[in-house]
Amino acid sequence: MEEYVQAIEYYKEFVQVAPKDPGRYILQYKLYEAQDVSLEERIAVLEELKKRDYREKWAYELAYLYHRVGLATRCVEECDELILWFGEENTLLRQWN
């Protein structure tokens, strides 16, 4: 709804209340996405999330961002890791291909 200042304040409050909650990275990513922050900065956020909580949806998003910035090798590596963790029946990867 383009109320970024208020959203950032809520994000900061969330981080203070739950500093170890990996959801903070998802919220940060969504804020970055809404504000059209650089793909490289979004990648950094998802890499931090990956270190703390490896989730299929966000790993796919990370692979896609690697693809968008021209990091084909990292994209393939991330896709390989997705298949390793979540199996060959990974629906997100099937949709991408």
Side-chain angles (χ1 to χ4, degrees), residues 52-77:
R52 289 160 175 73
D53 188 11
Y54 193 61
R55 299 181 188 188
E56 182 179 14
K57 175 180 178 175
W58 299 106
Y60 169 78
E61 184 73 14
L62 180 58
Y64 181 62
L65 290 178
Y66 286 147
H67 167 73
R68 288 183 62 192
V69 298
L71 297 173
T73 300
R74 296 215 32 208
C75 175
V76 170
E77 289 170 353

Side-chain angles (χ1 to χ4, degrees), residues 12-27:
K12 289 178 183 177
E13 186 177 321
F14 176 78
V15 171
Q16 285 181 346
V17 173
K20 294 183 180 183
D21 188 319
R24 70 181 283 187
Y25 299 102
I26 296 168
L27 292 174

